[in-house]
Amino acid sequence: MLERGAESAKRGAADLLLRGQRIERLLRHGKQLAIVGDGGGVLCVQLGMTGRVVVRSEAPRGEPHVHARWELLGPRGERKVMTFADPRRFGGLTALASSTVLSARWAELGPDAATVETAHLMQALKETRRAVKAALLDQNLVAGIGNIYADEALFRAGITPRVLAHRLRPRQVERLAAAVREVLAAAIASGGSSLRDYVDANGQQGGYQTLHLVYGREGEPCHTCGTRLRGTRLGGRQTVWCPCCQSARDT
DNA sequence: GGCAGCCTGGTT
DNA sequence: AACCAGGCTGCC
């Protein structure tokens, strides 16, 4: 139950919409979360880079960068506090009037990356002339891949980040789709990648950052072949790959 | 299709 | 003091 809403003037609409409603369910599509109230209201959450939503019995005093706070009542009447904190302010909260509006919003995104079908990726990549990494990062093409997991998936698929998406061979796309699903499943199983800010709703850090094979490892030896990993800038993002294990051609 | 710019804390 | 990180929007 969302009992009382938060202080943020800018994002005030979000809590007003859900005030007094019982949380009916939590949804996720790609990197977006949604809290659906039983009165029809929906709060859509995007964490951006540094956003975090944490539910605790008590919020620490003076916690920095808290942009919204909600008081919750648990099933046995216990009081909880949910906070949205976001130091870099790339995240956001959006109040939606109904789950129909939410569906329309999410329909503009590509299918969820964690379960993306090979056939979808095949079709989508065929239709764009961008570098494959830029395509993977496009949420309208497939939803849920950020910079870390794009690099990690491309490494596992043995595909160089700059190869043009429409030039990929079917078996490369097949490997890529499998790699995307596997990387995300592994990362989720490890609780995500906590490089600096990320914690889950219980405040727990993830452990997948220790399992990154290429991201953040420019200049270090490839775990597979020992070659120095190379770094470049692609689509405005730091990009790391192994020049030996990742090739443009299908081999 | 590419990329500047938003934003702030941490690093150089 | 300058630079870097990056999800996403909007401009070229």
Side-chain angles (χ1 to χ4, degrees):
Chain A
M1 166 80 80
L2 284 157
E3 192 186 47
R4 200 174 74 205
E7 276 52 72
S8 167
K10 257 171 90 175
R11 313 182 197 239
D15 63 279
L16 284 174
L17 188 80
L18 284 166
R19 183 169 300 184
Q21 293 188 34
R22 198 176 64 85
I23 295 175
E24 195 167 80
R25 55 194 162 146
L26 303 177
L27 303 173
R28 181 193 65 80
H29 186 84
K31 304 178 197 174
Q32 299 194 22
L33 316 172
I35 300 172
V36 182
D38 66 350
V42 178
L43 175 64
C44 195
V45 182
Q46 290 177 270
L47 297 180
M49 263 184 73
T50 57
R52 50 168 74 176
V53 172
V54 183
V55 179
R56 288 163 291 202
S57 54
E58 208 168 332
R61 292 178 60 85
E63 184 183 11
H65 309 299
V66 172
H67 303 301
R69 179 172 71 232
W70 300 262
E71 292 186 15
L72 314 180
L73 279 180
R76 285 173 293 284
E78 67 273 27
R79 293 188 170 276
K80 301 242 179 190
V81 179
M82 179 169 80
T83 53
F84 173 68
D86 183 17
R88 220 161 288 181
R89 296 169 172 268
F90 275 21
L93 303 173
T94 313
L96 303 174
S98 68
S99 44
T100 309
V101 178
L102 179 71
S103 298
R105 183 187 170 96
W106 283 1
E108 292 174 16
L109 299 173
D112 188 84
T115 55
V116 65
E117 290 182 24
T118 303
H120 171 80
L121 217 52
M122 201 85 75
Q123 186 63 34
L125 293 181
K126 203 192 300 178
E127 291 171 357
T128 180
R129 302 176 65 80
R130 286 175 297 178
V132 60
K133 178 174 177 182
L136 287 181
L137 291 173
D138 184 345
Q139 303 300 298
N140 295 325
L141 208 151
V142 53
I145 304 173
N147 197 40
I148 295 173
Y149 300 119
D151 278 7
E152 293 297 314
L154 286 165
F155 174 77
R156 282 163 178 77
I159 296 168
T160 196
R162 274 194 199 281
V163 69
L164 298 185
H166 72 286
R167 304 284 286 267
L168 289 174
R169 311 292 288 272
R171 53 203 259 209
Q172 288 182 298
V173 180
E174 203 169 320
R175 286 206 305 268
L176 183 55
V180 165
R181 293 187 298 258
E182 286 163 15
V183 159
L184 290 176
I188 289 167
S190 297
S193 300
S194 292
L195 294 170
R196 222 174 245 126
D197 304 87
Y198 175 73
V199 294
D200 69 15
N202 297 312
Q204 292 296 305
Q205 295 196 334
Y208 197 70
Q209 65 281 1
T210 66
L211 300 175
H212 293 167
L213 298 180
V214 287
Y215 179 85
R217 298 194 63 241
E218 175 181 355
E220 294 177 36
C222 171
H223 286 316
T224 301
C225 74
T227 302
R228 265 172 71 91
L229 297 177
R230 292 185 57 187
T232 187
R233 206 80 190 158
L234 198 162
R237 302 289 169 261
Q238 180 61 21
T239 298
V240 183
W241 84 103
C242 174
C244 174
C245 296
Q246 293 170 261
S247 64
R249 289 177 303 145
D250 192 15
T251 47

